[in-house]
Amino acid sequence: MSKIKARHFFTSESISEGHPDKVADQISDAILDACLAQDPNSRVACETLVTTGLVVIAGEITTTAQVDFEQTARQVIADIGYNKDEYGFNSATCRVETHIHQQSPDISQGVTEGQGEFTEQGAGDQGMMFGYASAETANYMPMTLDLAHALVFKAAEIRKAGKIKYLRPDSKSQVTIEYNNGQPGQVTAIVLSHQHDPEVSNAQLRRDILEQIIDPVIPAAQRSPDCKILINPTGRFVLGGPAGDTGLTGRKIIADTYGGVGSHGGGAFSGKDPSKVDRSAAYIARYIAKNIVAAGLAAKCEVQLAYAIGYAQPVSINVDTYGTGQVAEEKLMAAIPKVFDLTPKGIIQTLDLKRPIYQKTAAYGHFGRDIFPWEKTDKAALLQKEFAGTKITA
């Protein structure tokens, strides 16, 4: 069981929709959504690479949907804001290559109900998936990541509204908070790097970003007196996006999840349909952890699920409440299968995952936003009922 430290500092980062890795994630998930919109049973494992003037889409897709992959990618890029040749990456002029084939029949028989060694729909791969929740914020997310996401989301909002006209799409943030006995205190460091037009001075850029982005998201009262605020610390960030750094699907999994808090199984989410437990089991694990915390059974909770390819039930369940549990972790582990259906088919049905909802997950985090079904706390009452009359742990 993990212990809560008396005093420590923790940092999380986020990246905007214009970051090259996030561009790749959004293209992959837009293709997934386009397939699911026509064929809810689509099997999709779509990977994207973006670099200067080039998009490469590859992977395994089995679907009856008729999708224009190239046009889908161009629309995503345009919506992000890469629409000028001077950015080194333009939705209208970049080259788009597609290299798609069908899902392996060996995998397909393991995840298709009635085929393979077992009659139930099995997991699309082996692996372990984690879900986490903490009572330190209203949305049950780590505060460091919640604020880091809020900074780049606010920056995109300001950019798209034309309030800071010289901003370009790529940006990154980082937030450090001092924790005491597991509780977040003041923000001690803020880093925000934002791509910009070449003409703007560093002084103007730093003033505008501080006043219009940082101050509204993290006001001075929330910051320590000696809080470090670093805005474009290299002094220049003109070349960015796919022209500045190659982007790949699935390369920002820590910002996608919990900002480095807790554990990660290693599997990426974007571009994968919900038969892949890399994605769907991570969503149900978050759903479980959040409902445990919402039920008042722990102040922090991490849930691990592990699966074998082609097999429906998880091969293991683990719960870590970091010493904050109000009931024994063993009892929580025993209760989870009673309240939640953990088979791939059950997860998909519980969270209604065969819908085109995934592109919105591909920037600003998969968790902590109530637009997603795995963020509901509708099982909290059932969990409370399960432990009614149970003795509180010491």
Side-chain angles (χ1 to χ4, degrees), residues 121-134:
Q121 177 181 339
D125 202 352
Q126 71 175 45
M128 62 280 192
M129 300 82 202
F130 291 89
Y132 177 85
S134 169

Side-chain angles (χ1 to χ4, degrees), residues 79-144:
D79 290 344
I80 292 168
Y82 287 113
N83 49 20
K84 297 180 181 179
D85 283 335
E86 64 197 75
Y87 293 171
F89 193 68
N90 184 343
S91 62
T93 59
C94 64
R95 190 165 89 253
V96 180
E97 297 180 7
T98 59
H99 304 274
I100 300 294
H101 56 275
Q102 291 198 333
Q103 183 181 55
S104 158
D106 295 344
I107 295 174
S108 178
Q109 73 173 10
V111 296
T112 301
E113 194 168 6
Q115 298 183 13
E117 289 291 309
F118 303 95
T119 56
E120 290 184 275
Q121 177 181 339
D125 202 352
Q126 71 175 45
M128 62 280 192
M129 300 82 202
F130 291 89
Y132 177 85
S134 169
E136 68 188 62
T137 57
N139 60 0
Y140 299 88
M141 290 292 287
M143 188 175 288
T144 49

Side-chain angles (χ1 to χ4, degrees), residues 229-374:
I229 300 178
L230 302 173
I231 301 170
N232 282 25
T234 68
R236 183 177 172 87
F237 187 9
V238 174
L239 183 63
D245 188 12
T246 298
L248 294 170
T249 299
R251 204 159 57 173
K252 287 293 179 285
I253 56 177
I254 298 302
D256 282 345
T257 53
Y258 306 104
V261 177
S263 308
H264 199 291
F269 302 154
S270 289
K272 295 177 182 177
D273 75 85
S275 73
K276 279 78 171 172
V277 287
D278 273 353
R279 183 168 217 161
S280 55
Y283 290 165
I284 201 77
R286 161 66 174 175
Y287 184 48
I288 296 166
K290 186 173 181 179
N291 276 271
I292 287 172
V293 176
L297 300 173
K300 298 177 188 287
C301 182
E302 179 181 272
V303 173
Q304 185 203 48
L305 304 173
Y307 288 84
I309 189 168
Y311 189 68
Q313 293 290 343
V315 296
S316 71
I317 302 170
N318 187 59
V319 174
D320 187 348
T321 59
Y322 299 83
T324 71
Q326 297 299 298
V327 297
E329 291 170 349
E330 292 80 4
K331 292 181 178 179
L332 287 171
M333 286 180 243
I336 286 170
K338 298 178 185 178
V339 178
F340 302 90
D341 187 339
L342 301 178
T343 65
K345 182 178 180 179
I347 294 169
I348 289 167
Q349 290 177 340
T350 297
L351 301 178
D352 195 12
L353 295 180
K354 289 187 176 183
R355 298 179 291 139
I357 60 173
Y358 297 102
Q359 188 181 346
K360 289 182 180 179
T361 69
Y364 312 114
H366 292 245
F367 307 114
R369 294 188 283 160
D370 61 11
I371 58 174
F372 303 130
W374 47 89

